[in-house]
Amino acid sequence: FNSLNHDMTLTEFKFIWYMEYSHRMWGRVVGLAYILPATYFWRKGWLSRPMKGCVLALCGLVCFQGLLGWYMVKSGLEEKPDSYDIPRVSQYRLAAHLGSALVLYSASLWTGLSLLLPRHKLPETQQLLRLRQFAHGTTALIFLTALSGAFVAGLDAGLVYNSFPKMGERWIPDDLLAFSPMLRNIFENPTTVQFDHRILGVASVTAVTALYLFSRKIPLPRRTRMAVTSLLAVACMQ
């Protein structure tokens, strides 16, 4: 308010305040949803030794996620006397917060499904091993694409170019490598950040499509086929 938004009303401030407050409260509810049942199951002796380690890791991730959120928000409140830009959180901390959330969500889902659904005993054929490796590589690519989206959000890079597939009138913009040293462009140049996110997004959809087509050549259980088909549908919708 002191440095930029002089005309903000109390009602406008309350709106963004409640957005942040709701997010924090929801995060604390998630923490309780992990820790309270885990404590109860632990005391009842219902957890096996491997599951105890898994539960401790998940609860630790929940706490770490909250700490990262505080660390991220703190960066948006720091005074930057040499900057006349709008106040914003660090894109590095935003990416770390998002990445941690994705790991926590994926680990929770994987753990839950592992308990609810028995694992298929399939013969370890060469094709199946290749499919598993392909799936792991696609997962890593999607994760990287999501993290690059955090840099787009943190730098407001989506506002730089709003045409697709070209960026303005060019396939490769002139200011793609405007920053020095060159490595800074990947993380701090809004044009490069948006360009990388576009390339990674297209690569992710291509990889998911190729994974689906490859899976059609292999005899797979119905549940696995449903998972691969759902992945393709969600990728296209995204």
Side-chain angles (χ1 to χ4, degrees), residues 79-117:
E79 292 287 344
K80 302 179 182 68
D82 56 338
S83 174
Y84 298 96
D85 199 1
I86 62 172
R88 55 162 55 93
V89 299
S90 163
Q91 67 271 29
Y92 296 100
R93 299 185 192 183
L94 178 61
H97 189 49
L98 175 64
S100 174
L102 287 173
V103 170
L104 174 60
Y105 179 78
S106 300
S108 303
L109 186 63
W110 184 273
T111 304
L113 291 178
S114 298
L115 292 170
L116 292 170
L117 302 174

Side-chain angles (χ1 to χ4, degrees), residues 103-236:
V103 170
L104 174 60
Y105 179 78
S106 300
S108 303
L109 186 63
W110 184 273
T111 304
L113 291 178
S114 298
L115 292 170
L116 292 170
L117 302 174
R119 186 167 184 169
H120 286 300
K121 301 294 183 182
L122 301 177
E124 294 289 333
T125 63
Q126 189 66 31
Q127 279 187 317
L128 191 63
L129 288 173
R130 285 181 61 195
L131 179 67
R132 187 177 292 131
Q133 292 170 349
F134 198 172
H136 289 164
T138 303
T139 301
L141 181 59
I142 292 170
F143 183 73
L144 186 62
T145 304
L147 286 191
S148 73
F151 282 89
V152 173
L155 292 170
D156 283 337
L159 303 177
V160 182
Y161 293 97
N162 58 8
S163 56
F164 187 85
K166 289 186 176 181
M167 299 179 75
E169 298 298 319
R170 303 176 64 88
W171 289 101
I172 300 177
D174 295 328
D175 54 343
L176 192 67
L177 300 175
F179 289 16
S180 183
M182 189 180 296
L183 191 62
R184 274 186 63 207
N185 290 281
I186 299 175
F187 305 106
E188 299 180 13
N189 183 341
T191 298
T192 313
V193 165
Q194 191 193 130
F195 181 80
D196 291 344
H197 188 57
R198 288 172 177 229
I199 297 299
L200 286 167
V202 172
S204 293
V205 174
T206 304
V208 170
T209 305
L211 179 68
Y212 171 79
L213 294 175
F214 181 61
S215 73
R216 301 293 293 176
K217 301 177 181 178
I218 308 173
L220 294 171
R222 180 173 176 271
R223 198 172 75 206
T224 309
R225 288 207 176 280
M226 284 178 59
V228 178
T229 305
S230 300
L231 178 63
L232 178 63
V234 173
C236 292

Side-chain angles (χ1 to χ4, degrees), residues 54-72:
C54 188
V55 164
L56 284 175
L58 287 172
C59 288
L61 266 174
V62 170
C63 297
F64 179 68
Q65 174 67 6
L67 184 65
L68 262 181
W70 166 80
Y71 185 61
M72 178 194 72

